[in-house]
Amino acid sequence: MKKQDLKIRAFVAPTPTVISAAYDENGRADACTLAFVMMSSHHPPCVTIAINATAKRKTLKSILSSGAFTVGYPSTDQAKEADYLGVETGYHADKLKEIGYTTTEAKCVHAPVIDQIKLTLECKVVHTVTVGSHTQITGEIVNIQASEAIVDAQGKVMMDKLNPIIYNEEAFTYHALGECVSEAFKPGAAFKKDLMGK
Amino acid sequence: MKKQDLKIRAFVAPTPTVISAAYDENGRADACTLAFVMMSSHHPPCVTIAINATAKRKTLKSILSSGAFTVGYPSTDQAKEADYLGVETGYHADKLKEIGYTTTEAKCVHAPVIDQIKLTLECKVVHTVTVGSHTQITGEIVNIQASEAIVDAQGKVMMDKLNPIIYNEEAFTYHALGECVSEAFKPGAAFKKDLMGK
């Protein structure tokens, strides 16, 4: 295929869309929406987020001072609220209060769980590093809280009930998860077996 | 809403699905599929991936020894090949050769670009750290190569042409990107304006 070079930019797409939250030094809950998030370890289970350090995000300050944060998954019907939490800064407004969201302290860390969010990871900061414009924060996941309505009998999250928001940085759009195109691991394992039998 | 605690596990879902690739010390191209990936800086543009260190992934070894890697985006019709690259190990097989994929050296780093992949980031390693079971590698994006067929007149990637694979770790399934539910930034900015006018 014929290829061309594109303008250099931070590119990972599509990405999940999450709301990170932490208490500031006065116990106020800060929250900001971000797409810079990934799993980063299985043992112990960890998640890593990156937050703009140069823009002095209030949530970043609160995560670093408290040593804890939560990662919440907004649903597609919460796109407006999630978008606002990414656009406004906590230095100018009590953002969660403005949108009518309430919080409860997490069970295992000192960080706020947003009551209206259906799935939340409770995280303890275990590593931080600033690379370029962003600070990368790795949190050990010490608890996961989910609405009973989105969990199946095996304790797995049903994505069609959570309806997570997927972000497309190329078009500045939010999307739903699309149709299943394949199982994971089974096709690759079958392929491996076929290749070994050649 | 009534909430319950879930078994603690690495949880970020849905995630992108990418193929990281690097040359080993003999110049052979290694590649492995992973879902542990995120944008991590705008200035300079960086991407961070995490690869299992305890399982001694050959691609990890090659990235660390060469100081460079690529991040490629398989399309939904390449799910079988992508799955195989995640299931098999480069210590047992020349995986790319097995599936009939070929590579060309990247333009700006010493790393392989998979010819059959429509979108590839060329990355120079700028930071590494091992936290828990995985090594996190941050790469500065020094070039992006895309098939002309997936790029619009503004130089943006058309997601409906790339058809990237989205991974759901909860159900072990691969998905397409779903319908657009909202624009980003505009709803939040309008909401902010409304709140300020109250």
Side-chain angles (χ1 to χ4, degrees):
Chain A
M1 66 185 80
K2 192 141 185 240
K3 290 182 180 177
Q4 67 182 94
D5 294 342
L6 302 186
K7 189 182 164 206
I8 298 167
R9 55 188 179 271
F11 188 107
V12 171
T15 73
T17 305
V18 301
I19 300 171
S20 61
Y23 287 123
D24 73 8
E25 287 166 354
N26 300 313
R28 197 188 91 179
D30 288 315
C32 77
T33 299
L34 47 93
F36 288 28
V37 55
M38 68 174 187
M39 289 179 277
S40 54
S41 168
H42 277 308
H43 310 289
C46 293
V47 60
T48 299
I49 60 175
I51 301 182
N52 196 315
T54 54
K56 301 189 180 68
R57 279 270 183 190
K58 186 161 184 288
T59 302
L60 173 62
K61 192 180 170 195
S62 297
I63 292 173
L64 297 178
S65 64
S66 69
F69 62 103
T70 60
V71 173
Y73 286 80
S75 301
T76 52
D77 62 1
Q78 296 171 313
K80 189 174 75 168
E81 288 81 1
D83 197 50
Y84 168 76
L85 294 174
V87 167
E88 179 60 285
T89 166
Y91 285 115
H92 295 158
D94 188 343
K95 296 192 284 184
L96 290 169
K97 193 177 167 190
E98 289 284 0
I99 60 174
Y101 277 14
T102 53
T103 59
T104 302
E105 187 168 358
K107 290 183 185 173
C108 301
V109 291
H110 177 64
V113 173
I114 299 173
D115 298 322
Q116 289 76 12
I117 292 290
K118 293 181 187 137
L119 179 68
T120 304
L121 316 177
E122 302 183 17
C123 305
K124 180 180 68 173
V125 175
V126 292
H127 184 266
T128 66
V129 63
T130 300
V131 179
S133 54
H134 284 58
T135 300
Q136 298 178 28
I137 302 154
T138 299
E140 180 180 341
I141 300 169
V142 293
N143 192 31
I144 302 176
Q145 290 191 35
S147 156
E148 290 184 349
I150 68 162
V151 179
D152 70 14
Q154 284 73 47
K156 291 279 188 177
V157 173
M158 295 179 284
M159 286 295 152
D160 58 331
K161 305 287 187 198
L162 175 61
N163 277 319
I165 300 172
I166 298 173
Y167 175 57
N168 173 5
E169 170 116 329
E170 286 294 276
F172 302 133
T173 46
Y174 295 123
H175 294 254
L177 182 63
E179 61 171 351
C180 176
V181 296
S182 168
E183 287 185 289
F185 308 123
K186 286 182 189 170
F191 203 13
K192 177 176 167 179
K193 203 174 157 188
D194 286 350
L195 290 168
M196 287 171 75
K198 275 196 312 193
Chain B
M1 67 185 80
K2 191 141 186 242
K3 290 183 180 176
Q4 67 181 94
D5 295 340
L6 302 186
K7 188 183 165 204
I8 298 168
R9 56 186 178 269
F11 187 107
V12 170
T15 73
T17 304
V18 300
I19 299 172
S20 61
Y23 287 124
D24 72 9
E25 288 165 353
N26 300 313
R28 197 188 90 179
D30 287 314
C32 75
T33 300
L34 47 92
F36 288 28
V37 56
M38 68 174 188
M39 288 179 279
S40 54
S41 168
H42 278 308
H43 309 290
C46 294
V47 61
T48 298
I49 59 174
I51 301 183
N52 196 315
T54 54
K56 301 189 180 68
R57 279 270 185 190
K58 187 161 183 287
T59 303
L60 174 61
K61 192 180 170 194
S62 296
I63 292 172
L64 298 178
S65 64
S66 69
F69 61 103
T70 60
V71 173
Y73 286 80
S75 301
T76 51
D77 61 2
Q78 297 172 311
K80 188 173 77 168
E81 288 80 1
D83 197 51
Y84 168 76
L85 293 175
V87 166
E88 178 61 285
T89 166
Y91 286 116
H92 293 160
D94 187 343
K95 296 192 284 183
L96 291 169
K97 192 176 167 190
E98 289 284 0
I99 61 175
Y101 277 13
T102 52
T103 60
T104 301
E105 186 167 359
K107 290 183 185 171
C108 301
V109 291
H110 177 63
V113 173
I114 299 172
D115 299 321
Q116 290 77 11
I117 292 291
K118 292 180 188 138
L119 179 68
T120 304
L121 317 177
E122 301 183 18
C123 305
K124 180 180 68 173
V125 175
V126 291
H127 183 265
T128 66
V129 62
T130 300
V131 179
S133 54
H134 284 58
T135 300
Q136 298 178 28
I137 302 154
T138 299
E140 181 180 340
I141 300 169
V142 292
N143 191 32
I144 303 178
Q145 290 191 35
S147 157
E148 289 183 350
I150 67 162
V151 180
D152 69 15
Q154 284 73 46
K156 291 278 190 177
V157 174
M158 297 179 283
M159 286 296 152
D160 58 330
K161 306 286 188 200
L162 175 62
N163 278 318
I165 300 171
I166 298 173
Y167 175 56
N168 173 5
E169 170 115 329
E170 286 295 274
F172 303 133
T173 47
Y174 295 124
H175 294 254
L177 181 64
E179 61 173 350
C180 176
V181 296
S182 168
E183 288 184 289
F185 307 124
K186 286 181 190 171
F191 202 14
K192 177 177 168 179
K193 202 173 160 190
D194 286 351
L195 290 168
M196 287 171 74
K198 277 196 310 190

